[in-house]
Amino acid sequence: CMLTPDQDSGSVRMQSLLEVLTELRCKTTFVADNLEFKEPYVGRLQQRGIEVLFHPYVTSIAGLLAERGHEFDLVIVSRHYIAAKHVDAVRQFAPHALVVFDTVDLHFLREERLAELEGNALARAAARSKREEELAMIRASDVTLVVSPVEQKLLHELMPEARVMILSNIHEPVAGGKPFAEREGLVFIGGFQHPPNVDAVLWYAQEI
């Protein structure tokens, strides 16, 4: 979907990455899998010099790549369930491009941890299936991005031949405000459609 950096961490990271690429004088293009046009987000990206493509000017990712794939030296596909839909078209229509798979996070690792906590055989089977999907996407890519050394180490153990690099979350430093001694309380900022966030708050409330 369109990047909404005021609403979720993944959008903050991806928009920051696009801005870094633009600052490096790359001509940078963003297109959402659902071809969404959503303001003010499209306008804000465009103001930063990022080309944004959307419906009705683009009717499919494959069609876009067939028309313009030769332009791109680097194609970043984000999240395995999105990347898997488009990697074949990327390889066909941009054969010279470096294909980078941005995991955002390893979904199978999260699901394996959940299955272990719950002791659920069905959840374990789902996690195994997710692992195979993500590893297949890593095999189909030239470079894989993860956000932590833990994920990099795990993938090195599972697929030593894969080129796995760390690209952490990216944040602009901000002024600290009040000194710590003058503060009290705790605020948790997170999207609660993301199950680990719900789990974290419940664990904090119940256990800590």
Side-chain angles (χ1 to χ4, degrees), residues 131-205:
R131 175 190 281 228
E132 290 310 310
E133 291 173 15
E134 288 188 89
L135 294 183
M137 192 59 231
I138 292 168
R139 279 190 289 271
S141 306
D142 299 312
V143 178
T144 296
L145 301 178
V146 295
V147 298
S148 75
V150 171
E151 292 173 321
Q152 185 185 45
K153 181 175 182 291
L154 174 61
L155 289 181
H156 180 71
E157 292 168 357
L158 294 175
M159 298 183 66
E161 73 282 7
R163 188 177 179 192
V164 181
M165 305 178 76
I166 297 171
L167 180 66
S168 67
N169 284 348
I170 306 169
H171 296 283
E172 291 287 339
V174 296
K178 281 186 178 182
F180 188 78
E182 295 177 19
R183 298 168 182 246
E184 60 177 293
L186 180 146
V187 60
F188 187 103
I189 300 173
F192 289 104
Q193 290 178 321
H194 186 56
N197 288 348
V198 178
D199 182 61
V201 169
L202 291 173
W203 177 76
Y204 185 86

Side-chain angles (χ1 to χ4, degrees), residues 111 115 118-129:
E111 294 199 10
E118 294 181 344
N120 185 315
L122 193 61
R124 278 196 291 271
R128 279 195 299 273
S129 174

